Amino acid sequence: MEYKFTRPRTGLTLLEGHRIEGYASLFGLRDKGGDMVMPGAYAASLKRLAARGERVRMLWQHDPAQPIGLWEEVFEDARGLCVRGRLLPDIARAQEARVLLEAGAVDGLSIGYRTIRAEALPGGGRKLIELDLWEVSLVTFPMQPEARIARKGCALAELAALTAKLRAAREAVARL
């Protein structure tokens, strides 16, 4: 199994109670290993999981012996792979994770997957076209530094990015 670590700038959000959401992966950005996940890379895997009645696991630091919650929604949007779920308050490690998240000591998400289809990228790394997604972990050291914590959820982050693009376009038109 391979792992891709993400520090969700527009992602990981602690919501009411033990609910969290964030981007586990952002499309079109090279990570520290030189790999780039492409839009649609998770689609077939998510369909297979749904057909079997299974879900992507929420783990602590990729340790299969330490599940800490449930991902209730995992989906692709235009920006990347969005995850929404909840830490299980009766799990000691989940309580610790919540404290660490709130303090900012842990702020990353990381995907655990198997590569189905990839192409080599010039200069090294891979274009990841299809992945078999197994789990999304809360981690200390993410691999994709462009995706950092924000106190916005996935939909709000998408709206904020669109708003910024529209504002920039309006300013460009005003300068003409």
Side-chain angles (χ1 to χ4, degrees), residues 160-170:
L162 180 59
T163 301
K165 287 178 184 176
L166 289 172
R167 185 175 296 123
R170 187 178 65 214

Side-chain angles (χ1 to χ4, degrees), residues 108-147:
L109 290 174
S110 175
I111 57 173
Y113 65 97
R114 183 175 60 90
T115 302
I116 304 287
R117 200 163 48 113
E119 295 174 359
L121 285 169
R126 301 172 296 171
K127 182 189 297 186
L128 301 174
I129 299 166
E130 184 179 352
L131 301 175
D132 185 19
L133 182 64
W134 292 7
E135 54 95 4
V136 175
S137 284
L138 298 177
V139 297
T140 307
F141 298 107
M143 187 73 121
Q144 201 174 47
E146 295 84 1

